[in-house]
Structures are given as C-alpha cells and as structure tokens.
Amino acid sequence: MCGRFAVTLPPDAMAQLFSAVPGNDLPPVPNYNVCPTNQIHVVRSDDGQRRLGAMRWGFLPHWYKATNAGPLLINARAETIAEKPAFKAACRERRCLIPATGFYEWTKDEGGARLPWYIRPAGEGPLVFAGVWQDWERDGEAYRTCAIVTCGANAQMSAIHHRMPVILAPEDWGKWLGEEGRGAATLMAPAPEGALTFFRVGTEVNSNRASGAQLIEPLSP
C-alpha cells in the first residue's frame, strides 16, 4: 500500500515536467509528511490539456453521503480496480498522475514497534504514481478526490511490504492519462528491480503531525 509520502518539487517545476497548466489552489511544498485527506498535487488530462491541480487524497465514491460514510479509500488495488464499484468508472475515464519525492512504509520489530522506511528513486527525478480521481459533492461540501493505484511488491520491496504504488515511467504518462489510446491496464505492474532504494528513518514520522526535512534523513548506522 501507500499511506504516507513526501513531495518537494516546486509547483512550477511540476508544471514544466508534465507540460501542464498549473492551478491556483496548489498545496505548499515541500511537505515531507503527506497524509491521507491532505490536499495533494495531481495531474489530469482535460480535453487534451494537462492540468496540475489539488485533490483530496482519499477517494469518495458518489454514493457516500458524507466524507466519513465509508472506508477511507486512499489506495486502489490494480488487480480489482476495473471491477470494484468505487473505482471502475474512474479507471476507465478519470486516471491521473501523482508526483512524489518518495514514500514511507513500515516494518515491526520483535516487540511490535513500528519502524519506518523511506523509499525513493534509485536515480534522479521524482516518482510518479498512477492514480484515479472522482468529484464528490453533498450538502454544500464539494471535493475533487483521488486514490493511488497499488500492485504487488517486486522482490526488492517485498522485504518491507507486500504492496507498492504503481510507479509510471515518463514514456507511460500519456497512456495512463488516456492520451494515447488503450493499454493502461498493462502499466499496473511493479517497478523494475533496482528502480528504488530505501533506508530506515526515525520514528518521528510515525506521527501524522511531524514535519520537516529531518523525516527523510537516514538513521545513523
């Protein structure tokens, strides 16, 4: 799964990277502790034009009568996304890109304590997660919401967690956004072995109120 991530790329650099028109509602960066229900940076395609805007991380199906009317859907499983009632229409019609600098996962020690790991690209550049989005409105509340698509972990990542975000290469961004015809389903696979690197970080990030660049600093040996 993916339950927390970091993003440090400035909005103007994101807009340039994705050839997208930036919105005026973008959340501040850097943010080293992006949490569910936060507003996050998302790229979608609108009539052939890519747009960089803000969305609530936590997909709200249209039948939810309130934001807390059901489970918090921050992830969508690649294996079932095309059939699940919450996601199947979005999978066909409303796919998006979610940029990140890295993300967190947790293991446990023998006493059950949660030990955070930070996962980032092995090379240069950001991570770009596959996502789906949905507009939701009820009783005067309106949100544009999204979820990160996840798949089974590759061998490298399975040492930490059995799931991982679907990470898209630049040549696949247009296909995922629906700009290049069919074939998006083929992209929902684990990242190649060696594409990511990871290391232990301090337990401060276990709190969703923690902030600052120190959250992604490797623990001293």
Side-chain angles (χ1 to χ4, degrees), residues 33-49:
N33 194 7
V34 180
C35 301
T37 75
N38 286 174
Q39 293 288 307
I40 65 173
H41 301 81
V42 176
V43 177
R44 63 186 178 90
S45 187
D46 182 11
D47 292 330
Q49 175 64 65

Side-chain angles (χ1 to χ4, degrees), residues 59 75-92 94-95 130-132 147-150 176 185 188:
F59 191 97
N75 294 154
R77 293 175 66 93
E79 298 88 341
T80 57
I81 191 172
E83 291 82 34
K84 286 286 187 182
F87 298 122
K88 63 181 181 180
C91 183
R92 291 194 305 268
R94 294 185 301 279
R95 297 190 295 269
V132 290
I148 294 170
V149 182
T150 67
W176 182 255
M188 293 188 284

Side-chain angles (χ1 to χ4, degrees), residues 116-127:
W117 297 75
Y118 184 64
I119 301 102
R120 62 174 178 80
E124 298 296 323
L127 298 172

Side-chain angles (χ1 to χ4, degrees), residues 5-84:
F5 65 92
V7 58
T8 61
L9 196 65
D12 57 346
M14 289 188 211
Q16 183 176 7
L17 177 68
F18 296 107
S19 301
V21 176
N24 57 11
D25 60 345
L26 298 172
V29 289
N31 186 345
Y32 296 93
N33 194 7
V34 180
C35 301
T37 75
N38 286 174
Q39 293 288 307
I40 65 173
H41 301 81
V42 176
V43 177
R44 63 186 178 90
S45 187
D46 182 11
D47 292 330
Q49 175 64 65
R50 292 182 183 178
R51 300 190 182 277
L52 173 66
M55 295 190 191
R56 176 189 187 268
W57 184 22
F59 191 97
L60 295 174
H62 65 84
W63 62 81
Y64 275 24
K65 294 182 179 180
T67 56
N68 60 354
L72 182 60
L73 304 176
I74 61 171
N75 294 154
R77 293 175 66 93
E79 298 88 341
T80 57
I81 191 172
E83 291 82 34
K84 286 286 187 182

